[in-house]
Amino acid sequence: MTLLDQLKNSGATQLYIGGDWRESSDGGRIDVLDPSTAEALTSVASGNEDDARGAVDAAASVQPQWAATSPGERAEILTRAFNLMIERKDELAHLVVQEMGKALSEAAGEVAYAAEFYRWYAGEAVRNLGSISTAPGGDKKIIAIHQPIGVSLLITPWNFPLAMATRKIGPAIAAGCTMILKPASDTPLSALALGRLMSEAGLPDGVLNVLPSNRSSKVVPVILGDDRVRMVSFTGSTEVGRTLLAEAAKTVVKAGMELGGNAPFIVCDDADIEASIQGAMIAKMRNGGQSCIAANRFLVHEAVVGEFTRQLTAAMRALKVGPGMEPGVELGPLINQRAQDDMSESVEVAVGAGSAVAAGGETGRSPGFYYQPTVLTDVTPDNPVLGREIFGPIAPVTSFSTDDEAIALANDTMYGLAGYVYSRDLGRAMHISEAIEYGMVGINRGLMSDPAAPFGGVKQSGVGREGAHEGMLEFLETKYIAADW
Ligand code: NAD
């Protein structure tokens, strides 16, 4: 039986609150589409304001007991959850393909990546270190301890429906927080599957509540407006992030924000071009370009831009496009109709401003929300396409003549999530890495995500970090105790 059938048969397409599966109190449901056919796979319950209050009640009622569990016990739950995800990697990957559309090989990669957050935070749970020192005046001891911040709201996007959830659930569990997970409406099934799996791993009822809802703008303010909720951890667009920061300000709720990006991919004239193409294909095409750290602007030195574009165009044309479950497919459909329309619009904008299409430039397959791998050339720095977060399989190529010009172009955006630099001269690459205003930089590599690394952005790409030790600190408060003994 597929995992989707298991979810349907066990009632796990409902809301998961306090360890129970229940329908929304007004019976609302969300249709979940298969992006490769545009047809409904199933539907799940859609929480309303009353359900949101119920979820906060459930999380708040077990917060004290959960905070009092031993770090070792929380680490064991995370380890069991890691093992369960690995045992079930095939069925989880299948579910991700069904609701999100990515190629099966990528979905398998996502399951492994998602599970690694549990393994990493199983280790961090037992390393919640504080500090003790003697005050400079010698009059007291300064003791700093870290305590769970409390009930947390986790809001996740659709692009990595498992990994974006475990990247938050893992540290929240390690820290001793209870939580309400509100997944994206396009991909609620992976989150519900995680709810079920965490219960099997021994997570007590009420610690993780899963509240799909297509009424976020009503439901989320109810949760953030409740004094018992102390943290919101959001991954999604900068636009929604701004709204949530304003909402969180009303009750001074701590906010962790992983927002949009507009990653520059800088190729210097001394770069290994073949290696840069391999990196470009990962940085641009991982998840079909639907990644916040996806290369969004290729900035290539004028001496090598011809060769780079020729090789990139060939690599993009060679990709096999089709339904994610089909053998050999490398690029699945986009998430929904809006995403497909956005691609057509991005190409129109670029071409309208003088760019040429070297590959793709059309939707291609139908039914399903496909868009062909696309390369745009002659994209001048003033082309408005460079200001868009493309979020799909379109690669605009712009040339530069000096490193200072590349740095200025890279920084000419409100975003600051990830950037990439290719050069054989490590000193030059380090100089550029320091000069570009980004939270993360990949030097001579197109893949940088790692649960052990601090992931996050500067400028309007976010606040705070996920992964690494920093990711757990987001769910902890520091308490200072002044002591004489
Ligand atoms: P989105 O902002 O539309 O939605 C993200 C989540 O917020 C979803 O769960 C959605 O239901 C919810 N939401 C939407 N409107 C809301 C509102 N008014 N109040 C409360 N919640 C609301 O983003 P998306 O389309 O799901 O994801 C794509 C975006 O996410 C891109 O901009 C991408 O760069 C970003 N992203 C960032 C990271 C990162 O780590 N920085 C990772 C993945 C995706």
Side-chain angles (χ1 to χ4, degrees):
M1 203 189 328
T2 65
L3 184 50
L4 176 57
D5 288 333
Q6 293 173 44
L7 294 178
K8 286 200 245 178
N9 294 345
S10 64
T13 55
Q14 304 176 83
L15 311 176
Y16 182 56
I17 297 178
D20 293 327
W21 295 96
R22 53 166 110 144
E23 281 303 331
S24 162
S25 48
D26 63 5
R29 291 193 78 84
I30 309 168
D31 279 335
V32 184
L33 302 189
D34 172 349
S36 73
T37 60
E39 279 169 18
L41 280 171
T42 186
S43 67
V44 304
S46 168
N48 66 7
E49 291 97 313
D50 285 340
D51 302 313
R53 281 184 272 273
V56 177
D57 288 345
S61 70
V62 298
Q63 177 61 60
Q65 300 95 289
W66 178 240
T69 53
S70 72
E73 188 178 336
R74 300 199 294 271
E76 277 170 25
I77 292 170
L78 286 169
T79 302
R80 281 198 293 273
F82 166 78
N83 288 328
L84 282 174
M85 286 190 77
I86 298 303
E87 270 168 37
R88 298 182 190 164
K89 62 181 188 320
D90 293 343
E91 60 185 34
L92 284 165
H94 189 169
L95 185 70
V96 168
V97 176
Q98 282 179 298
E99 68 171 347
M100 192 273 161
K102 68 181 73 179
L104 182 61
S105 57
E106 294 226 35
E110 180 181 347
V111 177
Y113 174 52
E116 285 298 337
F117 283 103
Y118 285 163
R119 177 148 69 172
W120 174 262
Y121 283 107
E124 288 300 302
V126 294
R127 284 183 195 90
N128 179 7
L129 306 180
S131 65
I132 177 165
S133 60
T134 301
D139 58 324
K140 62 184 169 298
K141 299 296 177 198
I142 295 175
I143 302 169
I145 61 169
H146 300 298
Q147 296 179 303
I149 193 164
V151 178
S152 301
L153 171 61
L154 319 178
I155 305 179
T156 50
W158 48 263
N159 59 347
F160 291 92
L162 285 175
M164 295 302 98
T166 60
R167 193 164 82 170
K168 299 182 190 302
I169 298 169
I173 288 179
C177 296
T178 63
M179 66 208 91
I180 299 149
L181 169 64
K182 198 222 75 68
S185 305
D186 284 311
T187 56
L189 296 167
S190 301
L192 294 166
L194 276 179
R196 199 160 158 263
L197 183 143
M198 295 313 292
S199 169
E200 276 185 71
L203 191 69
D205 291 347
V207 174
L208 167 64
N209 304 278
V210 186
L211 186 77
S213 175
N214 55 8
R215 298 171 267 192
S216 314
S217 56
K218 295 206 171 108
V219 161
V220 167
V222 168
I223 299 175
L224 289 181
D226 191 310
D227 282 339
R228 296 170 295 176
V229 176
R230 300 309 317 145
M231 163 76 178
V232 55
S233 173
F234 172 76
T235 299
S237 60
T238 295
E239 189 187 354
V240 174
R242 283 191 202 106
T243 310
L244 291 177
L245 281 168
E247 203 60 48
K250 292 181 188 162
T251 36
V252 194
V253 167
K254 183 176 176 184
M257 295 277 141
E258 295 288 346
L259 307 177
N262 182 356
F265 188 103
I266 301 171
V267 182
C268 298
D269 51 354
D270 62 354
D272 176 336
I273 297 300
E274 245 169 65
S276 76
I277 295 297
Q278 277 169 20
M281 291 304 287
I282 296 170
K284 175 74 252 180
M285 296 307 290
R286 175 164 166 254
N287 217 32
Q290 302 172 106
S291 155
C292 51
I293 56 171
N296 205 57
R297 295 172 290 156
F298 287 92
L299 308 176
V300 187
H301 192 278
E302 60 191 6
V304 292
V305 71
E307 182 57 19
F308 179 87
T309 309
R310 193 184 61 71
Q311 289 194 32
L312 182 67
T313 303
M316 291 286 267
R317 284 209 181 117
L319 288 176
K320 183 170 176 193
V321 183
M325 285 307 292
E326 217 173 272
V329 159
E330 295 161 293
L331 177 64
L334 292 156
I335 186 69
N336 55 28
Q337 185 64 58
R338 190 160 44 96
Q340 192 190 42
D341 294 345
D342 270 0
M343 292 311 112
S344 304
E345 202 182 292
S346 286
V347 171
E348 263 170 47
V349 164
V351 171
S355 169
V357 178
E362 51 196 37
T363 53
R365 289 179 73 110
S366 168
F369 309 119
Y370 291 93
Y371 202 83
Q372 296 302 306
T374 298
V375 178
L376 299 172
T377 59
D378 306 313
V379 183
T380 50
D382 58 348
N383 193 313
V385 76
L386 298 179
R388 295 169 75 103
E389 187 185 18
I390 294 175
F391 232 67
I394 301 176
V397 184
T398 301
S399 67
F400 68 85
S401 52
T402 66
D403 288 3
D404 284 347
E405 190 189 343
I407 291 164
L409 285 172
N411 289 341
D412 185 20
T413 168
M414 70 174 181
Y415 295 109
L417 192 59
Y420 304 84
V421 184
Y422 271 77
S423 166
R424 283 197 175 95
D425 177 346
L426 197 53
R428 183 179 184 185
M430 282 302 296
H431 168 70
I432 295 174
S433 300
E434 284 190 334
I436 60 176
E437 298 163 347
Y438 286 84
M440 300 172 281
V441 182
I443 295 183
N444 294 329
R445 55 179 296 122
L447 185 64
M448 60 171 76
S449 305
D450 193 308
F455 188 108
V458 301
K459 294 165 77 176
Q460 296 195 33
S461 285
V463 183
R465 293 294 179 267
E466 289 193 319
H469 186 65
E470 282 96 325
M472 184 168 70
L473 292 177
E474 300 275 325
F475 290 92
L476 293 165
E477 288 280 26
T478 301
K479 180 176 284 175
Y480 156 51
I481 302 170
D484 281 338
W485 65 72

